[in-house]
């Protein structure tokens, strides 16, 4: 009797169910009379079963807390980013970007002339700019400019102040722009939990608002990171200096408030 | 709802035990494996838009993790750091004759025998025999031809069988022959 010659690889494919039906049938037929063949096929079946059961305990092992926590945090951050990024973040360039080689006199242009666009759309909350005149500047629903101006001149960075029952002002930092003007980065939370991130700079004895982003708020009150990216880009564009120390800021704010 | 289940961030946490098992078996160190799993998750989340819904998530994750591991091995090799695992495997492969003798004298546990397989045999064994990937899927995860998958897999199983003393006991016995 001549035995058909089956390679180990072929027998393995048979054992793994990866062989065409015709060859599989031939092997099955041969196995009926060939114990060696049965043993060779059996080896592949056994090694698969043994490997699987040997590594089963690893699957039942609890994932170390440190790892699980780290991954869960990454997932949450990703979900938060996705929730924050889409159309709800609106960049409002109140001034066109100033090319690096253009002199600083741009900053002295009347505010109204340099307004590019104001994008609204968030219910119950808006930014509006009134013409240069008796009350130029940033207006926030339910907050008069005076309260905002006062907050800008008095609230130390890192501190908060209630402007209106549902309007919370938060000073983030004080710094100088490339022209040496004193600027303040701040946020204002609104009742719908959205947040305006804005930059105001001192020009001609008053505050000029040069940048604002409306971002959906989070439970923490702080604006999501994605919306501060626009701010970072803006700060880079105006060549903002590093935030001031508390003492320097306090001196400057006192001088401004005294005027 | 179906949309959500196909998103990387929704699938990742539940898949951690599998990913970790693959990592531990691949690099044979729990500490290294956990770092690797974390790095793989980070990369997966960063490139989540490249995962095609409807395709195998486990295959996608295994491929990411294994590519990171290859980078680690490569760096270790160029830096000549500590004991190089894959080199140890090369040496082990070169003296397989001796190892067989040794194996016959003291049989290893199946888990140890899997650990001792050369890297390229072990990863094929893990995907096909442990994770139930088809040869085709395995070839895609590892980026090698399907023929290479088969030859490595056959060698892996023969090595495993002799190291751990696995035989097809029920079928091979002389009793059967006698009965025939």
């Amino acid at each position: 009797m001549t035995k058909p010659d089956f390679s180990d690889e072929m027998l393995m494919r048979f054992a793994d169910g990866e062989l065409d039906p015709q060859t599989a049938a031939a092997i099955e037929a041969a196995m009926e009379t060939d114990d060696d063949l049965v043993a060779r096929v059996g080896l592949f079946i056994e090694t698969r079963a043994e490997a699987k059961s040997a590594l089963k305990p690893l699957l039942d092992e609890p994932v170390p807390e440190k790892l699980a926590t780290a991954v869960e945090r990454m997932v949450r951050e990703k979900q938060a980013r996705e929730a924050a990024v889409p159309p709800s973040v609106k960049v409002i360039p109140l001034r066109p970007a100033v090319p690096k080689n253009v002199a600083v006199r741009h900053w002295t242009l009347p505010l109204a002339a340099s307004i590019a666009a104001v994008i609204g759309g968030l219910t119950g909350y808006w930014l509006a700019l009134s013409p240069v005149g008796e009350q130029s500047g940033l207006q926030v629903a339910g907050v008069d400019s005076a309260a905002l101006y006062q907050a800008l001149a008095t609230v130390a960075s890192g501190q908060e102040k209630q402007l209106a029952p549902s309007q919370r002002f938060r000073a983030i930092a004080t710094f100088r722009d490339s022209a040496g003007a004193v600027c303040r980065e701040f946020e204002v939370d609104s009742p719908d939990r959205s947040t305006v991130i804005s930059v105001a700079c001192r020009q001609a004895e008053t505050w000029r608002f040069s940048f604002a982003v409306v971002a959906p708020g989070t439970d923490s009150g702080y604006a999501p990171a994605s919306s501060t990216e626009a701010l970072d880009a803006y700060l880079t564009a105006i060549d903002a200096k590093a935030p001031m120390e508390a003492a320097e800021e306090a001196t400057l704010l006192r001088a401004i408030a005294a005027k | 709802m179906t949309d959500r289940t196909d998103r990387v961030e929704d699938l990742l946490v539940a898949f951690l035990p599998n990913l970790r098992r693959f990592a531990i078996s691949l690099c044979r160190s729990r500490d290294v494996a956990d770092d690797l799993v974390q790095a793989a998750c980070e990369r997966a989340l960063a490139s989540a838009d490249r995962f095609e819904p409807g395709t195998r998530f486990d295959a996608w994750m295994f491929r990411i993790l294994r590519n990171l591991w290859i980078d680690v091995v490569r760096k270790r090799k160029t830096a000549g750091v500590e004991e190089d695992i894959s080199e140890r495997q090369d040496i082990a492969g070169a003296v397989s004759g001796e190892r067989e003798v040794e194996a016959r004298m003291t049989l290893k546990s199946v888990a140890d025998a899997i650990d001792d397989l050369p890297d390229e045999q072990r990863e094929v064994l893990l995907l096909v025999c442990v994770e139930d990937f088809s040869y085709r899927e395995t070839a895609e995860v590892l980026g090698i031809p399907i023929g290479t998958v088969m030859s490595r897999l056959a060698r892996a199983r023969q090595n495993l069988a002799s190291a751990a003393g696995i035989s097809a006991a029920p079928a091979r016995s002389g009793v059967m022959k006698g009965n025939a």
Side-chain angles (χ1 to χ4, degrees):
Chain A
M1 183 175 89
T2 52
K3 291 182 192 170
D5 190 22
F6 298 111
S7 69
D8 277 341
E9 206 172 286
M10 207 176 268
L11 297 181
M12 179 184 76
R13 288 165 66 191
F14 174 72
D16 288 338
E18 294 252 3
L19 205 53
D20 62 281
Q22 209 181 339
T23 319
I27 292 176
E28 256 174 84
M31 279 169 71
E32 281 172 22
T33 56
D34 186 343
D35 288 347
D36 282 344
L37 197 60
V38 172
R40 284 169 68 202
V41 170
L43 189 81
F44 289 111
I45 293 172
E46 284 296 310
T47 46
R48 183 174 187 138
E50 292 274 354
K52 189 171 235 176
S53 66
L55 296 190
K56 178 79 171 58
L58 277 182
L59 201 57
D60 301 331
E61 222 174 74
V63 175
E65 187 148 341
K66 192 175 150 234
L67 174 63
T69 312
V71 174
E72 279 161 17
R73 180 176 42 75
M74 287 191 280
V75 167
R76 271 199 310 278
E77 283 170 3
K78 166 98 175 160
Q79 284 164 339
R81 269 199 305 280
E82 308 239 305
V85 172
S88 46
V89 171
K90 292 169 175 127
V91 178
I92 305 165
L94 300 184
R95 278 174 190 274
V98 183
K100 278 244 159 83
N101 56 351
V102 172
V104 223
R105 57 196 148 69
H106 265 276
W107 290 94
T108 61
L109 288 174
L111 180 66
S114 58
I115 294 165
V118 174
I119 305 157
L122 279 173
T123 48
Y125 197 58
W126 70 91
L127 288 165
L129 289 144
S130 51
V132 178
E134 72 274 10
Q135 229 199 18
S136 73
L138 184 77
Q139 288 194 326
V140 173
V143 179
D144 66 321
S145 308
L148 188 54
Y149 286 6
Q150 203 207 349
L152 281 169
T154 54
V155 181
S157 294
Q159 302 295 309
E160 296 190 336
K161 186 185 181 180
Q162 208 71 32
L163 298 183
S166 50
Q167 306 282 359
R168 181 174 286 273
F169 171 93
R170 184 163 46 245
I172 304 295
T174 305
F175 57 91
R176 286 185 190 275
D177 67 12
S178 55
V182 175
C183 298
R184 302 210 73 192
E185 179 194 338
F186 66 97
E187 297 178 0
V188 181
D189 296 337
S190 76
D192 66 1
R193 285 178 43 216
S194 67
T195 299
V196 170
I197 304 167
S198 185
V199 174
C201 294
R202 259 329 247 190
Q203 290 287 331
E205 308 277 291
T206 187
W207 292 106
R208 305 282 188 182
F209 299 90
S210 52
F211 172 91
V213 174
V214 182
T218 58
D219 287 326
S220 66
Y222 282 89
S226 58
S227 52
T228 59
E229 279 166 19
L231 174 68
D232 290 341
Y234 175 75
L235 293 178
T236 306
I238 65 165
D239 192 21
K241 307 302 175 208
M244 290 175 192
E245 297 295 321
E248 188 186 1
E249 178 190 84
T251 309
L252 270 167
L253 292 186
R254 265 198 304 278
I256 290 168
K259 279 173 188 161
Chain B
M1 249 351 242
T2 25
D3 258 358
R4 293 188 64 82
T5 55
D6 252 358
R7 284 185 0 196
V8 172
E9 55 266 43
D10 299 324
L11 299 169
L12 205 51
V13 173
F15 188 63
L16 281 180
N18 294 70
L19 192 59
R20 187 166 170 270
R21 171 169 74 171
F22 183 64
I24 292 172
S25 316
L26 206 59
C27 62
R28 294 166 297 173
S29 150
R30 278 174 165 69
D31 289 343
V32 176
D34 286 350
D35 288 348
L36 209 54
V37 167
Q38 190 172 333
C41 290
E42 210 171 332
R43 186 166 287 191
L45 286 169
S47 53
D49 51 336
R50 270 186 258 156
F51 172 65
E52 290 170 41
T55 61
R56 282 189 78 150
F57 177 69
D58 51 0
W60 190 70
M61 283 310 301
F62 286 157
R63 186 163 56 231
I64 290 175
L65 186 132
R66 192 229 173 213
N67 287 344
L68 286 169
W69 170 239
I70 298 278
D71 286 347
V72 172
V73 172
R74 195 174 295 139
K75 272 179 202 142
R76 279 189 188 172
K77 263 191 180 151
T78 48
V81 181
E82 2 170 320
E83 180 204 22
D84 190 291
I85 288 169
S86 57
E87 226 161 72
R88 187 164 66 97
Q89 288 307 317
D90 291 346
I91 293 163
V95 292
S96 63
E98 271 174 48
R99 290 177 56 80
E100 258 171 50
V101 174
E102 186 193 310
R104 250 178 256 127
M105 294 188 300
T106 50
L107 291 177
K108 294 186 172 102
S109 75
V110 176
D112 286 346
I114 293 173
D115 270 6
D116 282 351
L117 288 173
D119 287 355
E120 73 269 12
Q121 289 181 22
R122 195 172 60 254
E123 60 188 10
V124 173
L125 182 87
L126 291 173
L127 290 172
V128 174
C129 296
V130 180
E131 301 292 344
D132 286 330
F133 278 48
S134 70
Y135 294 174
R136 168 72 53 205
E137 289 163 341
T138 302
E140 278 165 18
V141 169
L142 301 177
I144 54 176
I146 196 163
T148 311
V149 168
M150 290 192 276
S151 56
R152 287 180 185 175
L153 185 61
R155 266 181 279 134
R157 281 151 95 166
Q158 276 146 0
N159 289 339
L160 179 63
S162 55
I166 299 170
S167 62
R172 189 195 229 156
S173 66
V175 181
M176 249 185 108
K177 242 175 194 161
N179 286 349

